[in-house]
């Protein structure tokens, strides 16, 4: 139950990222580059403070990796630019469907056994995704769609790196800190196009400190107890959470298609998560 709650908290944080990003960029409160830079910087500062306060034995603490930092930056920058033109629920659905396919492909080609019921659950979740997206593939921005797919692939890489984490808070903190050279370069390159309101900056800080920084550290804790397939498929619940959040905070309608696809995705997730041993001991 504890692991289920931790997993749910991290998934809610992921949905929060979608909502905060969509509010900030969809309402033009801030430009995408500034949102990304402030988000990652805020996450780095928050996590470093938590690391300094709560890690007593820093000599044996994890230090993250440059590979994790690269994945994190690519995910964050493509995520921001994609949400300029995508609605909250659609963006989250494309993102985590891309995550699922990328992680399943890695699991398959790495030689890890995937049970038939897991394939079935993943297929059902994919059908739910297809039902929502394919009929209206011309409706969302093509550029936004492609960017979000790339963001999902990068997040899949970040998640797979996280499965090896022995110290979630320390590893997440140093992954964020390692993105500082990238966001410095990004800020210099986009200096002339900077446009940030107080509200936009505040949203970026919240997204970085809470739903990203703390949320990703919690996710790394959950990953220690989830198989790669469970981690991949469970994230497909985020569009449902994001859709509810978009309805509550952005007045975005919950369409019949979104409701039906959400139900199909949930069935797929349940097949994977409840099969055999739901969580690793």
């Amino acid at each position: 139950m504890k692991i289920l709650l931790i997993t749910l908290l991290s998934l809610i944080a992921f949905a929060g990222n979608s909502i905060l990003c969509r509010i900030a960029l969809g309402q033009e409160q801030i430009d995408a580059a500034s949102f990304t830079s402030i988000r990652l910087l805020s996450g780095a500062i928050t996590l470093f403070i938590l690391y300094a306060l709560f890690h007593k034995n820093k000599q044996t603490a994890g230090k993250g990796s440059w590979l994790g930092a690269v994945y994190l930056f690519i995910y964050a920058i493509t995520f921001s630019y994609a949400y300029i033109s995508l609605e909250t629920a659609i963006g989250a659905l494309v993102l985590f469907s891309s995550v699922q396919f990328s992680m399943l492909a890695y699991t398959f080609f790495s030689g890890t056994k995937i049970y038939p019921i897991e394939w079935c659950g993943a297929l059902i979740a994919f059908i739910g995704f297809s039902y929502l997206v394919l009929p209206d593939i011309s409706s969302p921005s093509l550029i936004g769609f492609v960017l979000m797919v790339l963001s999902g692939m990068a997040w899949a890489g970040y998640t797979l790196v996280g499965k090896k984490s022995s110290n979630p808070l320390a590893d997440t903190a140093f992954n964020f800190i390692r993105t500082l050279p990238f966001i410095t370069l990004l800020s210099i390159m986009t200096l002339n196009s900077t446009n940030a309101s107080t509200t936009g900056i505040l949203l970026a800080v919240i997204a970085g400190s809470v739903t990203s920084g703390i949320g990703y550290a919690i996710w790394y804790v959950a990953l220690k107890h989830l198989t790669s397939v469970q981690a991949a498929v469970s994230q497909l619940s985020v569009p449902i959470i994001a859709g509810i959040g978009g309805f509550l905070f952005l007045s975005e309608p919950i369409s019949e298609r979104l409701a039906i696809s959400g139900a199909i995705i949930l069935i797929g997730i349940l097949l994977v998560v409840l099969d055999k041993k739901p969580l690793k001991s």
Side-chain angles (χ1 to χ4, degrees):
M1 181 60 68
K2 179 180 178 181
I3 299 304
L4 288 174
L5 289 175
I6 291 174
T7 303
L8 180 60
L9 280 176
S10 59
L11 296 175
I12 292 173
F14 297 164
N17 275 328
S18 295
I19 295 169
L20 292 170
C21 189
R22 180 59 181 165
I23 293 174
L25 298 173
Q27 298 180 5
E28 299 182 349
Q29 297 288 341
I30 191 172
D31 64 281
S34 296
F35 183 88
T36 301
S37 298
I38 295 172
R39 178 186 175 191
L40 292 175
L41 178 60
S42 300
I45 293 173
T46 300
L47 288 167
F48 182 77
I49 292 173
L50 292 175
Y51 169 77
L53 289 175
F54 297 108
H55 265 286
K56 297 179 180 180
N57 189 356
K58 298 180 177 59
Q59 297 298 322
T60 59
K63 299 296 183 181
S65 68
W66 279 106
L67 180 60
V70 169
Y71 280 138
L72 178 60
F73 177 76
I74 293 174
Y75 149 75
I77 188 65
T78 51
F79 181 90
S80 296
Y81 277 98
Y83 259 129
I84 293 176
S85 55
L86 295 179
E87 289 187 355
T88 305
I90 296 291
L93 193 60
V94 175
L95 174 70
F96 289 105
S97 295
S98 177
V99 170
Q100 182 197 26
F101 303 143
S102 299
M103 292 186 65
L104 285 176
Y106 173 84
T107 301
F108 178 77
F109 288 110
S110 66
T112 302
K113 184 176 181 180
I114 301 178
Y115 293 90
I117 193 66
E118 293 177 317
W119 280 117
C120 183
L123 177 61
I124 290 174
F126 172 70
I127 290 172
F129 162 71
S130 300
Y131 175 75
L132 179 66
V133 176
L134 292 183
D136 292 326
I137 194 67
S138 60
S139 178
S141 162
L142 180 59
I143 294 177
F145 182 87
V146 171
L147 285 173
M148 196 60 87
V149 169
L150 292 174
S151 184
M153 293 173 66
W155 179 254
Y158 187 76
T159 296
L160 291 167
V161 169
K163 284 194 63 62
K164 301 175 183 178
S165 174
S166 59
N167 198 316
L169 177 58
D171 286 329
T172 308
F174 283 99
N175 283 338
F176 269 79
I177 291 171
R178 281 190 174 91
T179 65
L180 296 183
F182 305 136
I183 64 177
T184 299
L185 180 61
L186 175 65
S187 299
I188 294 173
M189 293 175 60
T190 59
L191 186 61
N192 293 332
S193 60
T194 299
N195 178 29
S197 67
T198 302
T199 300
I201 293 173
L202 179 61
L203 290 170
V205 170
I206 295 173
S209 300
V210 182
T211 58
S212 293
I214 297 176
Y216 296 173
I218 294 173
W219 178 237
Y220 267 21
V221 173
L223 285 174
K224 295 170 63 177
H225 305 275
L226 298 173
T227 67
S228 295
V229 177
Q230 289 170 344
V233 178
S234 66
Q235 291 180 83
L236 285 176
S237 63
V238 173
I240 303 169
I241 301 171
I244 295 172
F247 172 76
L248 293 175
F249 300 109
L250 302 177
S251 299
E252 293 179 349
I254 298 179
S255 65
E256 180 181 353
R257 179 173 290 161
L258 177 61
I260 293 174
S261 67
I264 296 172
I265 289 170
L266 277 178
I267 292 172
I269 292 172
L270 288 174
L271 285 176
V272 172
V273 174
L274 298 181
D275 174 53
K276 250 177 348 88
K277 295 179 180 179
L279 297 173
K280 295 168 66 178
S281 59

